[in-house]
Amino acid sequence: MDDDLSASASADPNVPRPYKLPPEASSKKYVLCPTATVRINAPAAVVFAYITRPSTWPDWNSFVPRAEIRSGAPPPPPPTDPAAGGDDHSKPPEIAVGTRLVFYVNMTPTALAVPLPANAPAPKLYPSPELVTELTRPSSTPAAAPVAAARIWRTAWTSNQTLPAALLATPVGRIQELEESPDGKSCTYRTWEPMTGVLSYFVRSWYGAILDRRFLEWAADLKRVAEADPAAVAAATAEA
């Protein structure tokens, strides 16, 4: 992982950086809210497939290199027929609203290199139960929605801990949003996770800087794997 993935003042949209929340979100009284945004030179469908298919995470996700689906997974898709022109990204996500998962999260100060070498010692990963609360693709956007909304892909999951909200809460969960470019060849990735409650002050003190770093790393990892995907390469080289 590059050493310059910090909360810098870089204005280059191709470099992961903190995301400035919209006014309706930034006006809320959150104790902490890690964010990240980056432009990804790949179609939103390609990027979305990596976000919503945890089985791919060990290959690219250094923040959450492992996740287990415990319940609520959608039925598996039928096999792709190459003769029909389908590809790996035409498959539905492995998660749906109501899916319960356990994330195994790297909260150590040291970034992981993924995929993990087969002979490497197992890193210390922290289990985090999560619940998928939103999964929206353009095909599921109401026809009456604004034109801009027709290019938005969005997922959200929230902690499935049983703590009272007064102690620790993620009011809207971890949001991940893709806004596809008009030509469909690239997209802007944005993610944020606001936290409130008494224990969120502890999280901010002990893990705030690590979370900020990990969100930027997730964005960088996602950009790297999506842009190297054959479908993204084909889109980039296709004639307008």
Side-chain angles (χ1 to χ4, degrees):
M1 190 63 58
D2 294 340
D3 291 336
D4 59 356
L5 287 184
S6 60
S8 65
S10 172
D12 185 348
N14 291 294
V15 177
R17 64 192 189 281
Y19 169 57
K20 184 177 181 180
L21 294 175
E24 63 271 17
S26 59
S27 62
K28 306 294 183 182
K29 296 187 181 298
Y30 301 136
V31 176
L32 76 158
C33 184
T35 68
T37 185
V38 71
R39 182 171 63 197
I40 300 178
N41 298 307
V46 172
V47 183
F48 196 72
Y50 284 107
I51 295 173
T52 59
R53 294 169 59 205
S55 65
T56 70
W57 293 5
D59 294 330
W60 63 268
N61 192 334
S62 61
F63 184 15
V64 187
R66 178 184 164 205
E68 296 175 354
I69 297 177
R70 295 297 176 86
S71 66
T80 300
D81 181 4
D87 58 44
D88 199 38
H89 304 292
S90 65
K91 295 180 180 179
E94 295 173 346
I95 59 176
V97 173
T99 299
R100 297 179 184 275
L101 310 92
V102 176
F103 291 177
Y104 292 88
V105 184
N106 175 30
M107 289 298 291
T108 67
T110 305
L112 293 179
V114 287
L116 298 174
N119 58 349
K124 185 172 180 60
L125 302 176
Y126 296 85
S128 176
E130 305 286 337
L131 173 68
V132 178
T133 57
E134 182 178 355
L135 194 152
T136 305
R137 291 171 286 182
S139 59
S140 61
T141 303
V147 174
R151 301 201 311 271
I152 297 295
W153 309 61
R154 187 177 166 111
T155 61
W157 46 66
T158 188
S159 174
N160 199 31
Q161 303 279 6
T162 56
L163 293 172
L167 288 180
L168 183 64
T170 54
V172 297
R174 164 81 184 276
I175 304 292
Q176 296 188 83
E177 186 176 86
L178 301 169
E179 182 174 354
E180 194 167 50
S181 64
D183 65 7
K185 294 183 178 181
S186 65
C187 59
T188 298
Y189 171 74
R190 296 182 285 261
T191 183
W192 64 97
E193 185 174 13
M195 301 182 195
T196 63
V198 175
L199 291 181
S200 62
Y201 291 93
F202 167 83
V203 175
R204 183 177 66 182
S205 175
W206 283 85
Y207 295 109
I210 292 176
L211 283 171
D212 288 341
R213 174 83 179 189
R214 292 292 176 266
F215 271 55
L216 295 173
E217 289 171 352
W218 180 304
D221 289 343
L222 186 59
K223 176 179 173 69
R224 171 179 51 79
V225 71
E227 291 184 349
D229 189 278
V233 175
T237 57
E239 293 185 2

